[in-house]
């Protein structure tokens, strides 16, 4: 007799999906995810080796035709379907299993946080006076400096021995470095603290981690510009050399840099956008995030190159000074008779009068260009070159602390996106029972990741991180992004998608997006993928090892990966890609078994508007 | 008499020249960099400074061998250049034309290096005895490495944050559960009251359709 009273339809089903507190949090999270360590230590390097200012041309072309369209696609997809990466892909078509990007997010989270562990280790060591990487330790009987340190530099020694305790070969695993394990635990604890409730907690943390690096970059900019030699570095960086544009490698590097810099195809952006209200201008968001990311890269390269110019100039002056001292001592000339300015005239005079004596001194030729040419990217830039430059600055502790906190926040805000890409799909798949709190799921994710990442704290850990960086975080992303675009444009159908975007943004989709989504971006992705794979295949997979017993020490030794390591590389690259055809086959088989007449038509896909129809908007 | 004196002096001079020359046996080269060490406060190297140097070496020899026989005149300087660099040698006062063995001189200088440096306001690097290596001072090592302390502080802060967030999450969860059970109780009460007759909600659903039952019931009640 009693009706089903619970079906009181005065309010439609309340959507308990978490939401951003405000639009600014969402934009800041996307920017924080995109702006990461690569903006600081990869873009300036690329600018430098590819003809300075001229590199900006292929970079901006790639931004406009590849970066912004793909970014817009991902944000629109997440916002429309309101699901994480796995759910979104499943909604488009079950044949496009979305596990690929979820897997890439996990792999990248593992090794990215280990890089943050190194940053944290340097950070907590920056509180000492003098900085531990500025002096060589003494050897056992206190007669001289430690040999390994003496032959290379104190900075190299601190990085390779005191931090990594690196083994000479990837096959030698070495032991666990307990100090790195402690720092790794602290890093994962910080990540857990910030992502404990999903976007409710990262949304608060992002205010600090996304804005703080800009403050520090500004401080470094002001400091960097006042250093001697800064202008040389900047001129060297930005002098355009248009000839480099003829080299196709430059265009490939620009395209890959934009692609990886915007953190596309990780699933993190889809997750972020899925927490948006459905009627949100995703087009403007995409353009904003992409432009801010590129501007940040440019902005970061100025202090980086001021400091590098300063370092090169100081090294040049040191070289000159050493030569001057040798000459003065040999010829017993009074002090300060030869200065840096009249060095060349003195050298020519002495060479003509006493050539044998000069030859006997074995003076090194000091060339400023040569010092400026020593370009490094990646961890070498941050932990070797920059730390060396920091020692030369007055008040080095403060600069070191600022620099490493900045790197830490840059990396942490990118970690939020990675973890979100892992967390949101798991939350939707309801791995844990509904009554279990979200804190438990994020805790489990962080704990398991910490345990797996322990293998990066072994002696050979940094070689493995290079492998993960080169193979797991490069090719699979290109493949996944390609399938993403193809899936949305040709399976979900561009017409339906453009209607959805129109419904969300409130204006018609412009022709630019139609053309780029349909043709230009997939084509570019295909070309980049082919070129990338071809280039990787050309040289056998090798790495450089730090081996104190090598004859050419302190140069690093070139070694080839052993076969079992090469197999792992292939596995890392192939596994996320292979998910797409595997899941497609699985569903095809299921379909064949279920229905009598197998049809290749994918099941009816609910469009954006239908997915949002039972969600009432307070302001419509 | 005068001739004899001159003869002795010349012999001594020649002997000295023999004893003190570059690369002589038991001779050491000294290199001084005053301008590098003191910059604008640099003093000039003149005969008085040389006298002080001889005095310091004699002092070092006296302290080392603890016999007060070495005189300032026993220390011979030669080949002073503009650099400023020179050679010196210490003669033995007991035996006339010989020099003190180099190892003794080296040990004496080593023992008193600090005093000698300070007399000239210089350091090991700016007052160099070319064949005498200086002992390196060990780096200062605090008992607990500083980084462990900083790490401990950071970790404590993080753990405090995590515990706080988890506890507040549990409390919010409990409060939400309590609220939802209260609401359910309230709804049940409301349902109970509605169970007595035809529920009003059902009436509303039918969009104002007048139910004959109710209309009939109205007649049963007498109007006041």
């Amino acid at each position: 007799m009693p009706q089903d009273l619970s079906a009181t339809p005065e309010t439609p089903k309340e959507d308990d999906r978490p939401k951003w507190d405000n639009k600014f949090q969402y934009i800041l999270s996307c920017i924080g995810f995109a702006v990461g360590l690569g903006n600081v230590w990869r873009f300036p390097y690329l600018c430098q080796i590819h003809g300075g200012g001229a590199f900006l041309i292929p970079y901006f072309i790639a931004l406009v035709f590849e970066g912004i369209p793909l970014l817009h696609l991902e944000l629109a997809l997440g916002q429309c379907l309101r699901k994480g990466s796995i759910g979104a892909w499943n909604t488009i078509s079950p044949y496009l299993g979305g596990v690929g990007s979820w897997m890439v997010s996990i792999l990248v989270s593992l090794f990215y946080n280990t890089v943050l562990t190194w940053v944290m280790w340097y950070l907590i060591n920056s509180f000492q006076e003098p900085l531990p990487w500025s002096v060589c330790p003494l050897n056992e009987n206190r007669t001289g400096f430690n040999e390994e340190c003496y032959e290379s530099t104190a900075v190299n020694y601190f990085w390779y021995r005191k931090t990594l305790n690196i083994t000479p070969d990837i096959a030698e695993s070495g032991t666990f470095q307990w100090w790195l394990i402690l720092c790794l635990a602290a890093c994962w604890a910080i990540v857990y603290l910030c992502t404990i409730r999903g976007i409710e907690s990262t949304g608060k943390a992002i205010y600090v981690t996304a804005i703080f690096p800009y403050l520090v970059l500004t401080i470094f900019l002001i400091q960097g510009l006042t250093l001697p030699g800064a202008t040389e570095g900047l001129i060297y960086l930005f002098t355009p050399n248009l000839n480099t544009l003829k080299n196709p490698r430059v265009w490939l590097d620009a395209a890959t840099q934009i692609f990886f810099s915007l953190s596309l195809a990780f699933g993190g952006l889809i997750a972020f956008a899925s927490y948006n209200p459905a009627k949100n201008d995703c087009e403007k968001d995409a353009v904003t995030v992409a432009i801010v990311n590129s501007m940040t890269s440019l902005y970061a390269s100025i202090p980086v190159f001021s400091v590098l110019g300063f370092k090169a100039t100081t090294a040049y002056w040191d070289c000159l000074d050493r030569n001057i001292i040798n000459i003065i001592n040999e010829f017993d000339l009074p002090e300060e008779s030869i200065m840096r300015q009249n060095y060349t005239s003195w050298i020519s005079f002495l060479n003509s009068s006493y050539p044998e004596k000069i030859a006997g001194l074995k003076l090194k030729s000091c060339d400023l260009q040569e010092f400026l040419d020593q370009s490094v990217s990646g961890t070498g830039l941050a932990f070797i070159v920059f730390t060396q430059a920091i020692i030369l600055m007055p008040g080095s502790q403060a600069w070191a602390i600022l620099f490493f906190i900045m790197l830490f926040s840059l990396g942490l805000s990118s970690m939020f996106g990675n973890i979100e890409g892992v967390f949101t799909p798991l939350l939707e798949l309801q791995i844990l029972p509904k009554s279990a709190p979200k804190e438990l799921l994020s805790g489990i994710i962080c704990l398991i990741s910490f345990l797996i990442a322990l293998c990066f704290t072994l002696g050979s850990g940094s070689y493995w991180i290079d492998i993960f960086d080169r193979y797991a975080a490069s090719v699979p992303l290109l493949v996944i992004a390609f399938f993403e675009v193809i899936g949305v444009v040709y399976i979900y159908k561009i017409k339906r998608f453009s209607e959805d975007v129109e419904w969300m943004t409130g204006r018609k989709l412009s022709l630019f997006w139609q053309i780029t989504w349909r043709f230009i971006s997939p084509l570019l992705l295909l070309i980049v993928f082919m070129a990338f794979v071809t280039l990787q295949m050309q040289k056998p997979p090798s790495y450089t090892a730090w081996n104190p017993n090598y004859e050419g020490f302190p140069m690093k030794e070139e070694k080839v990966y052993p076969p079992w390591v090469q197999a792992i590389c292939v596995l890392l690259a192939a596994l996320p890609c292979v998910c797409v055809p595997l899941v497609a086959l699985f569903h095809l088989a299921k379909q064949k078994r279920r229905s009598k007449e197998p049809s290749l038509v994918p099941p009816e896909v609910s469009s954006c508007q239908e997915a949002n129809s039972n969600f009432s908007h307070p302001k419509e | 008499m005068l001739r004899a004196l001159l003869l002795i002096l010349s012999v001594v001079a020649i002997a000295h020249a023999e004893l003190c020359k570059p690369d002589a046996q038991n001779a050491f080269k000294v290199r001084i960099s005053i301008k590098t060490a003191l910059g604008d406060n640099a003093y000039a190297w003149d005969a008085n400074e040389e006298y002080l140097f001889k005095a310091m070496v004699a002092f070092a020899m006296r302290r080392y061998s603890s016999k007060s026989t070495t005189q300032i005149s026993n220390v011979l300087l030669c080949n002073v250049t503009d650099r400023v660099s020179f050679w010196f040698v210490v003669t033995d006062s007991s035996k006339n034309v010989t020099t003190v063995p180099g190892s003794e001189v080296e040990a004496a200088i080593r023992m008193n290096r600090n005093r000698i440096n300070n007399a000239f306001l210089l350091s090991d690097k700016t007052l160099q005895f070319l064949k005498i290596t200086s002992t390196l001072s060990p780096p200062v090592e605090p008992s607990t490495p500083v980084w462990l302390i900083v790490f401990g502080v950071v970790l404590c802060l993080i753990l405090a944050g995590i515990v706080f967030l988890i506890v507040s999450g549990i409390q919010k969860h409990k409060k939400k559960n309590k609220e939802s059970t209260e609401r359910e109780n309230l709804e049940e009460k409301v349902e109970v009251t509605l169970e007595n007759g035809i529920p009003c909600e059902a009436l509303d659903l039918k969009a104002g359709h007048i139910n004959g039952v109710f209309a009939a019931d109205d007649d049963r009640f007498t109007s006041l």
Side-chain angles (χ1 to χ4, degrees):
Chain A
M1 205 245 300
Q3 317 269 4
D4 189 13
L5 293 161
S6 54
T8 50
E10 8 84 9
T11 42
K13 193 163 87 98
E14 185 64 34
D15 188 10
D16 56 0
R17 194 175 181 77
K19 291 194 268 291
W20 297 106
D21 288 344
N22 48 51
K23 175 92 182 266
F24 185 58
Q25 232 179 47
Y26 161 63
I27 296 281
L28 215 55
S29 296
C30 289
I31 291 177
F33 184 30
V35 171
L37 297 169
N39 294 64
V40 170
W41 70 32
R42 182 128 175 97
F43 177 78
Y45 164 75
L46 286 177
C47 236
Q48 182 198 346
I49 61 170
H50 287 318
F55 181 69
L56 295 177
I57 299 177
Y59 184 73
F60 276 108
I61 292 181
L63 177 70
V64 165
F65 288 108
E66 187 195 349
I68 299 186
L70 289 174
L71 185 62
H72 185 201
L73 187 83
E74 275 211 23
L75 292 183
L77 194 67
Q79 196 175 294
C80 166
L81 298 174
R82 316 198 82 235
K83 292 214 179 94
S85 60
I86 299 185
W89 283 59
N90 270 340
T91 315
I92 296 180
S93 161
Y95 291 94
L96 285 180
V99 196
S101 61
W102 180 77
M103 235 187 263
V104 174
S105 282
I106 292 186
L107 292 174
V108 171
S109 304
L110 288 175
F111 85 81
Y112 206 80
N113 217 17
T114 314
V115 176
L116 284 188
T117 307
W118 298 337
V119 174
M120 168 168 268
W121 166 252
Y122 267 79
L123 174 63
I124 59 184
N125 268 300
S126 306
F127 287 90
Q128 290 179 332
E129 160 81 39
L131 289 171
W133 55 81
S134 60
V135 284
C136 267
L138 300 176
N139 56 17
E140 284 92 33
N141 46 9
R142 303 253 190 97
T143 51
F145 293 116
N146 179 303
E147 198 190 319
E148 187 182 347
C149 184
Y150 185 68
E151 301 212 349
S152 56
T153 58
V155 178
N156 275 328
Y157 177 75
F158 186 75
W159 169 238
Y160 286 109
R161 190 54 50 211
K162 283 303 219 288
T163 306
L164 300 175
N165 201 8
I166 206 166
T167 53
D169 194 282
I170 194 171
E172 291 172 41
S173 302
T175 51
F176 286 104
Q177 318 307 327
W178 61 271
W179 56 90
L180 283 184
I181 295 182
L182 284 182
C183 292
L184 186 71
C187 279
W188 277 110
I190 293 182
V191 169
Y192 179 51
L193 176 68
C194 294
T195 59
I196 195 167
R197 295 207 195 110
I199 64 161
E200 289 163 26
S201 39
T202 61
K204 312 276 187 315
I206 200 81
Y207 285 117
V208 175
T209 58
I211 298 186
F212 185 70
Y214 288 97
L215 281 173
V216 177
L217 275 176
T218 312
I219 297 177
F220 262 100
L221 181 78
I222 301 174
Q223 151 77 348
L225 289 175
T226 60
L227 292 169
T231 32
E232 269 86 285
L234 284 175
I235 293 173
Y236 183 70
L237 168 69
F238 284 119
T239 314
N241 175 15
L242 290 165
N243 284 327
T244 54
L245 293 183
K246 297 192 200 130
N247 180 9
R249 190 67 205 268
V250 176
W251 295 86
L252 175 67
D253 275 342
T256 47
Q257 171 62 14
I258 269 290
F259 182 78
F260 297 130
S261 176
L262 284 173
S263 307
L264 298 165
F266 276 92
L269 288 168
I270 296 183
F272 281 154
S274 68
Y275 296 116
N276 264 339
K279 286 216 162 191
N280 176 47
D281 194 344
C282 49
E283 182 180 340
K284 210 161 62 162
D285 297 342
V287 175
T288 312
V289 171
I291 292 189
V292 169
N293 180 51
S294 297
M295 288 299 128
T296 308
S297 295
L298 273 173
Y299 189 61
S301 51
I302 302 180
V304 166
F305 265 87
S306 312
V307 172
L308 288 181
F310 162 68
K311 179 177 175 296
T313 307
T314 318
Y316 172 64
W317 285 348
D318 277 344
C319 179
L320 276 183
D321 286 343
R322 242 176 295 134
N323 284 354
I324 291 176
I325 282 282
N326 282 342
I327 297 176
I328 287 185
N329 287 346
E330 177 70 17
F331 290 94
D332 281 324
L333 301 163
E335 280 183 284
E336 295 186 2
S337 52
I338 307 181
M339 302 292 286
R340 291 179 196 144
Q341 297 89 315
N342 50 16
Y343 172 74
T344 34
S345 47
W346 266 100
I347 271 282
S348 43
F349 164 69
L350 287 171
N351 226 348
S352 47
S353 0
Y354 308 96
E356 334 76 41
K357 263 193 162 181
I358 292 284
L361 280 177
K362 295 205 220 314
L363 298 172
K364 267 176 108 173
S365 70
C366 299
D367 181 18
L368 182 61
Q369 264 317 103
E370 198 186 307
F371 287 112
L372 283 171
D373 275 335
Q374 290 168 0
S375 52
V376 191
S377 80
T379 50
L381 178 70
F383 298 118
I384 299 182
V385 172
F386 227 77
T387 45
Q388 196 153 28
I390 285 180
I391 303 174
L392 304 166
M393 296 186 206
S396 15
Q397 274 84 10
W399 297 115
I401 293 173
L402 269 179
F403 177 64
F404 289 115
I405 290 191
M406 174 189 79
L407 284 188
F408 194 76
S409 355
L410 279 173
L412 195 64
S413 51
S414 298
M415 270 306 284
F416 293 160
N418 282 326
I419 293 287
E420 209 46 58
V422 176
F423 184 67
T424 306
L426 282 182
L427 205 61
E428 284 159 11
L429 285 176
Q430 294 185 341
I431 303 273
L432 296 180
K434 206 141 186 185
S435 56
K438 267 191 278 192
E439 289 89 335
L440 190 63
L441 181 63
S442 45
I444 292 177
I445 293 177
C446 289
L447 186 65
I448 296 181
S449 307
F450 166 66
L451 291 173
I452 300 180
L454 279 177
C455 47
F456 291 125
T457 57
L458 289 168
S460 54
S462 82
Y463 299 132
W464 287 105
I465 291 201
D466 275 334
I467 288 183
F468 269 68
D469 190 20
R470 261 202 275 177
Y471 296 103
S474 56
V475 171
L477 289 172
L478 290 167
V479 171
I480 291 171
F482 180 72
F483 278 115
E484 223 172 65
V485 179
I486 298 292
V488 168
V489 168
Y490 295 109
I491 300 186
Y492 187 79
K493 298 283 190 295
I494 183 92
K495 195 162 176 307
R496 189 196 260 153
F497 192 62
S498 53
E499 278 169 18
D500 292 337
V501 175
E502 210 177 304
W503 181 77
M504 288 195 293
T505 61
R507 53 174 183 278
K508 197 159 164 51
L509 196 70
S510 83
L511 195 63
F512 172 72
W513 304 113
Q514 300 256 7
I515 298 180
T516 46
W517 282 346
R518 262 198 246 232
F519 311 114
I520 301 188
S521 297
L523 195 65
L524 267 177
L525 277 175
L526 203 60
I527 296 177
V528 169
F529 173 69
M530 304 282 219
F532 200 78
V533 171
T534 324
L535 268 167
Q536 294 275 37
M537 303 282 226
Q538 265 176 7
K539 45 179 172 60
S542 65
Y543 66 107
T544 48
W546 178 263
N547 186 3
N549 296 326
Y550 178 51
E551 310 91 47
F553 189 76
M555 301 299 288
K556 293 173 86 173
E557 189 182 352
E558 274 274 332
K559 285 192 182 173
V560 179
Y561 286 127
W564 62 276
V565 173
Q566 289 190 25
I568 295 185
C569 297
V570 171
L571 196 71
L572 277 177
L575 205 60
C577 309
V578 128
C579 281
V580 177
L582 267 186
V583 172
L585 280 172
F586 172 70
H587 274 280
L588 207 64
K590 214 162 72 166
Q591 190 87 341
K592 277 202 173 136
R593 253 188 297 125
R594 218 190 287 154
S595 65
K596 293 254 167 65
E597 61 260 12
S599 81
L600 283 172
V601 174
E604 192 55 41
V605 181
S606 66
S607 87
C608 204
Q609 298 160 50
E610 286 159 26
N612 288 300
S613 62
N614 61 351
F615 177 70
S616 75
H617 267 285
K619 32 187 181 170
E620 186 115 328
Chain B
M1 175 60 183
L2 204 62
R3 235 180 286 152
L5 207 61
L6 273 170
L7 199 65
I8 294 172
L9 272 172
S10 55
V11 164
V12 168
I14 294 170
H16 280 189
E18 290 270 324
L19 289 174
C20 175
K21 57 178 198 259
D23 296 318
Q25 201 191 33
N26 301 329
F28 291 93
K29 182 165 184 184
V30 178
R31 194 184 286 147
I32 300 186
S33 319
I34 308 175
K35 286 207 194 124
T36 318
L38 301 170
D40 285 335
N41 298 329
Y43 50 81
W45 186 262
D46 52 13
N48 298 329
E49 307 288 340
E50 287 181 20
Y51 190 79
L52 178 59
F53 183 81
K54 291 187 203 173
M56 290 310 293
V57 173
F59 162 74
M61 294 302 301
R62 284 190 176 207
R63 261 191 106 206
Y64 173 70
S65 50
S66 38
K67 49 177 165 74
S68 7
T69 49
T70 323
Q71 306 290 328
I72 290 184
S73 48
N74 285 121
V75 184
L76 307 172
L77 258 59
C78 53
N79 284 65
V80 184
T81 64
D82 283 335
R83 168 65 183 80
V84 172
S85 68
F86 49 84
W87 289 83
F88 79 93
V89 107
V90 183
T91 55
D92 202 336
S93 45
S94 46
K95 313 171 202 140
N96 223 344
V97 203
T98 48
T99 53
V100 175
S103 48
E104 268 188 54
V105 179
E106 182 172 335
I109 302 271
R110 256 229 165 103
M111 192 176 103
N112 297 289
R113 190 63 188 267
N114 208 24
R115 301 289 297 273
I116 303 177
N117 285 349
N118 282 335
F120 291 96
L121 306 171
L122 299 170
S123 67
D124 275 0
K125 273 192 157 162
T126 41
L127 170 56
Q128 292 170 295
F129 289 86
L130 284 187
K131 274 184 284 183
I132 304 177
T133 50
S134 43
T135 38
L136 301 157
S137 57
V140 176
E141 285 241 6
S143 49
T144 26
V146 176
W147 70 266
L148 260 182
I149 301 174
V150 180
F151 176 77
V153 168
V154 167
L155 200 62
C156 285
L157 286 171
I158 300 169
L159 288 176
I162 293 179
V163 165
F164 169 71
L165 280 177
I166 291 183
V167 164
S168 70
I170 295 178
Q171 279 182 346
K172 225 196 298 186
H173 203 66
K174 268 199 217 150
K175 211 166 75 168
K176 209 169 31 165
N177 275 346
K178 213 166 63 160
E179 265 180 30
S180 65
T181 46
E182 274 180 22
R183 216 185 312 136
E184 272 175 33
N185 287 340
L186 213 68
E187 274 173 10
E188 274 181 28
K189 285 206 198 102
V190 170
E191 285 177 22
V192 165
T193 47
L194 286 177
E195 286 275 25
N196 275 337
I198 310 280
C200 301
E201 256 76 346
L203 251 192
D204 278 356
L205 260 180
K206 296 192 166 99
H209 187 283
I210 296 183
N211 196 331
V213 177
F214 267 119
D217 267 348
D218 259 337
D219 284 340
R220 273 205 257 134
F221 295 109
T222 47
S223 47
L224 287 162

